[in-house]
Amino acid sequence: MSLDNFFNKVETEEVEIEEFEEEYIGYDTLYINDFGEGDTFAGEPVMSEIYDKTFEDKFTGREITQNNIKLRIINHENKEIFEAGIKLKTKNNIQDIWNKSKLGTLIWSIAAANNTPINGNKLTNFNIKEFSDEINNMSNINIVIVSDEFENKEGEIIEYNLVKVTQIN
């Protein structure tokens, strides 16, 4: 086989490389599950656009695709990055958000830190893109990790961490 034939048969795809990875070389990444109840972090917030995450379910072996958004907080002084993925219901920028969800907890806490209380327990037709743009315009936030839990269909208690913003600078 000639090299021309070889390269003509190679499957390729265009993959978007995040500038984030190149911009913060040498920074340590800390994930939300590395933290416990009451742990804090501070830095410059960066919210991603909505993206698909595909993985294999560890119980069924089926391939699952989820819609997510990622919050990163960059602490330049300590060269650390906090990272929290947030699962969304759809890939649409306009969604209904409940206050007890991961994104809802973040939104309600930002509103409280800004002294802008939200009445009710659900945001209807919330624009995630505009919210992300507002987050990305902030210079610094302080967060605290809070834990919550739920009982799954098998009766197991599942614990998970949430991000609450305590201060916007």
Side-chain angles (χ1 to χ4, degrees):
M1 176 185 298
S2 74
L3 281 177
D4 288 339
N5 287 339
F6 172 79
F7 283 112
N8 285 332
K9 292 181 181 180
V10 171
E11 292 183 33
T12 64
E13 65 179 300
E14 187 68 28
V15 178
E16 188 173 321
I17 299 172
E18 295 185 35
E19 293 178 24
F20 175 85
E21 303 301 333
E22 296 172 9
E23 189 174 349
Y24 300 106
I25 294 173
Y27 282 49
D28 292 326
T29 301
L30 308 168
Y31 300 96
I32 188 169
N33 290 333
D34 296 334
F35 289 76
E37 176 85 25
D39 287 344
T40 61
F41 197 86
E44 174 191 0
V46 178
M47 183 77 84
S48 74
E49 293 184 12
I50 298 172
Y51 65 94
D52 291 335
K53 175 182 174 185
T54 303
F55 60 94
E56 184 178 302
D57 183 280
K58 63 182 176 183
F59 299 109
T60 66
R62 290 185 305 151
E63 189 173 271
I64 296 175
T65 299
Q66 293 178 342
N67 303 295
N68 292 289
I69 195 162
K70 191 173 290 185
L71 171 66
R72 291 181 173 133
I73 303 172
I74 297 99
N75 184 307
H76 297 288
E77 184 178 321
N78 297 333
K79 293 194 172 199
E80 294 178 328
I81 300 167
F82 170 87
E83 188 171 293
I86 300 170
K87 182 178 155 189
L88 302 173
K89 292 188 187 299
T90 71
K91 197 167 184 167
N92 299 329
N93 275 316
I94 307 297
Q95 297 189 29
D96 293 345
I97 310 292
W98 291 90
N99 67 337
K100 296 289 184 178
S101 68
K102 287 185 177 184
L103 183 57
T105 299
L106 178 66
I107 293 166
W108 263 261
S109 68
I110 287 174
N114 194 52
N115 294 317
T116 311
I118 299 174
N119 297 323
N121 62 355
K122 180 181 175 186
L123 298 170
T124 305
N125 297 320
F126 184 81
N127 190 316
I128 294 172
K129 170 76 171 110
E130 288 179 6
F131 176 70
S132 295
D133 291 345
E134 289 295 323
I135 295 275
N136 292 337
N137 285 325
M138 296 176 185
S139 59
N140 193 69
I141 62 173
N142 296 2
I143 63 162
V144 64
I145 302 300
V146 294
S147 296
D148 203 352
E149 64 183 32
F150 70 94
E151 186 174 337
N152 70 10
K153 294 176 185 176
E154 290 77 34
E156 300 170 312
I157 301 298
I158 307 297
E159 294 182 22
Y160 59 97
N161 288 339
L162 299 162
V163 175
K164 278 194 173 182
V165 174
T166 57
Q167 188 173 3
I168 301 169
N169 302 321

